[in-house]
Amino acid sequence: MKAIAAFAGLPADHPQSLQDITLPTPDARGHDLLVRIEAISVNPVDTKIRKSLPQQAQDKPKILGWDAAGVVEAVGERVTLFRPGDRVWYAGAIHRDGSNCELQLVDERIVGRMPGTLGFAEAAALPLTAITAWELLFDRLRLQEGAHQGERLLIVGAAGGVGSILIQLARTLTGLHVIATASRPESQAWVRELGAQDVVNHHQPLGEGLAALGIAEVDYVISLNQTDRHFDEIVKALKPQGKLALIDDPEPIDVRQLKRKSISLHWELMFTRSLFATPDMIAQHRLLERVAGLVEAGRIRSTLGTQPGTINAANLRHAHALLESNATTGKVVLAGWA
């Protein structure tokens, strides 16, 4: 089968950073599905892992990619949720080979049926970010569906992949007033289109932007990038006993600043359930099924932003470079095999 591999931690535009290779087709066993990949999207985890590899080429290639939509080709003997021919979407598991290959093994318990109203490219934009956003809201912050009227959520770095679905889920499933941060006119327009009621520019102090809106404090903050840069302003903006959740890997932050207001800190990594095979691992299957229903009902839209072409090493290198520019809105997706 065709695959794209990272051999060394080279810059995205280096011709050897990601290379086309051929691998044997794997066999499905146990709870695994063998999925024929039709579309993939790129996430910060892909670029982080590529850059973390040794600078010298390694003998064993690393298959990146943790967002996919495709068709089930074969199933393991313990599979009960899917059968060959089913269209599925998922993010996969970080300790296993990713989706930058024609055929991938993935545990059925972290897979959902693909929304019938979306094509493969539109669907591939959503799984990792939808899981992350859902877990942020309902597992980490412990918010309740249909509740929280009159409360405010500030999303820092809201125009990217996670922010784009997070805005929609918060607006669709809760009564939260959503304030998004975005700096460029096009990204500000994007987050408003997705449902943010207010927008502030994160290139300015967050407190100043909130004050201009007549907002003194917020109940919740979800910080998606550059948390260390905004940390002091986030602490100021949060109400006493407020909650802060984050997904990035910030430079050291002084969490002692949270003590005076009794602010709680919540970290989210959507790979935790699969990495540790937690007893509730199937929760990711269930939430992907729920999101598929929301998409089909027209309550959630795909966050596909840029589609540079088919799935090959050259286009994937370009996709990594786009993501590293920090100037994308929505998701970068590749579909079909060259």
Side-chain angles (χ1 to χ4, degrees):
M1 66 174 183
K2 294 179 181 178
I4 302 165
F7 286 89
L10 298 169
D13 58 359
H14 193 288
Q16 295 181 348
S17 62
L18 295 162
Q19 301 178 48
D20 294 304
I21 63 169
T22 301
L23 292 175
T25 298
D27 294 321
R29 295 285 185 267
H31 281 287
D32 277 349
L33 311 175
L34 180 65
V35 178
R36 182 168 294 278
I37 303 296
E38 299 290 346
I40 61 173
S41 73
V42 182
N43 293 282
V45 62
D46 301 57
T47 64
K48 288 176 183 176
I49 292 179
R50 190 202 80 243
K51 290 188 288 188
S52 73
L53 295 174
Q55 291 271 319
Q56 299 299 318
Q58 305 297 296
D59 293 334
K60 181 174 173 55
K62 180 69 175 175
I63 307 301
L64 307 173
W66 289 280
D67 245 348
V71 180
V72 177
E73 187 98 345
V75 301
E77 69 278 4
R78 299 182 65 186
V79 168
T80 61
L81 300 173
F82 300 97
R83 55 187 169 185
D86 287 345
R87 294 185 171 201
V88 295
W89 63 348
Y90 56 88
I94 200 167
H95 60 293
R96 305 184 69 177
D97 281 346
S99 54
N100 295 346
C101 55
E102 283 187 295
L103 292 157
Q104 181 187 10
L105 293 176
V106 60
D107 192 299
E108 64 171 340
R109 291 167 291 184
I110 56 173
V111 175
R113 64 179 181 87
M114 195 179 105
T117 54
L118 296 184
F120 289 111
E122 294 172 302
L126 284 173
L128 183 144
T129 54
I131 295 169
T132 301
W134 187 285
E135 291 183 350
L136 278 165
L137 290 170
F138 303 115
D139 294 331
R140 308 299 164 239
L141 295 182
R142 298 287 183 180
L143 302 181
Q144 302 297 314
E145 291 190 44
H148 309 289
Q149 284 76 11
E151 296 180 345
R152 295 187 177 101
L153 166 65
L154 173 64
I155 303 173
V156 179
V162 175
S164 296
I165 186 65
L166 183 58
I167 293 168
Q168 295 184 75
L169 289 175
R171 287 299 315 276
T172 299
L173 298 178
T174 78
L176 288 167
H177 180 99
V178 176
I179 308 156
T181 83
S183 59
R184 294 171 293 121
E186 56 268 37
S187 59
Q188 292 177 351
W190 171 258
V191 297
R192 288 189 187 279
E193 184 181 337
L194 295 174
Q197 288 115 313
D198 287 305
V199 181
V200 299
N201 186 342
H202 50 237
H203 285 174
Q204 307 297 326
L206 298 178
E208 291 181 10
L210 292 171
L213 297 170
I215 297 172
E217 296 176 313
V218 299
D219 301 89
Y220 311 97
V221 173
I222 295 178
S223 183
L224 304 176
N225 54 49
Q226 297 186 321
T227 298
D228 49 295
R229 172 185 167 187
H230 300 294
F231 188 67
D232 291 348
E233 290 289 310
I234 287 171
V235 174
K236 291 177 186 176
L238 274 164
K239 289 182 176 180
Q241 302 183 87
K243 296 182 178 182
L244 166 62
L246 61 151
I247 66 170
D248 62 338
D249 300 297
E251 294 299 318
I253 53 177
D254 184 3
V255 296
R256 294 174 298 180
Q257 293 186 54
L258 305 178
K259 181 178 181 180
R260 187 165 178 265
K261 287 186 175 180
S262 295
I263 294 169
S264 58
L265 178 63
H266 309 262
W267 228 299
E268 158 63 13
L269 177 67
M270 58 79 48
F271 294 116
T272 296
R273 282 178 160 132
S274 55
L275 185 60
F276 294 96
T278 59
D280 66 345
M281 193 165 86
I282 199 169
Q284 290 193 348
H285 161 73
R286 293 173 181 146
L287 76 83
L288 284 171
E289 295 275 303
R290 180 75 189 285
V291 173
L294 292 170
V295 171
E296 290 168 343
R299 302 179 69 190
I300 296 293
R301 55 174 278 193
S302 172
T303 57
L304 190 158
T306 305
Q307 192 172 339
T310 54
I311 307 170
N312 59 44
N315 288 339
L316 191 59
R317 289 195 294 268
H318 179 53
H320 275 230
L322 282 174
L323 198 65
E324 290 173 356
S325 74
N326 292 317
T328 56
T329 55
K331 294 295 291 291
V332 181
V333 175
L334 303 177
W337 288 86

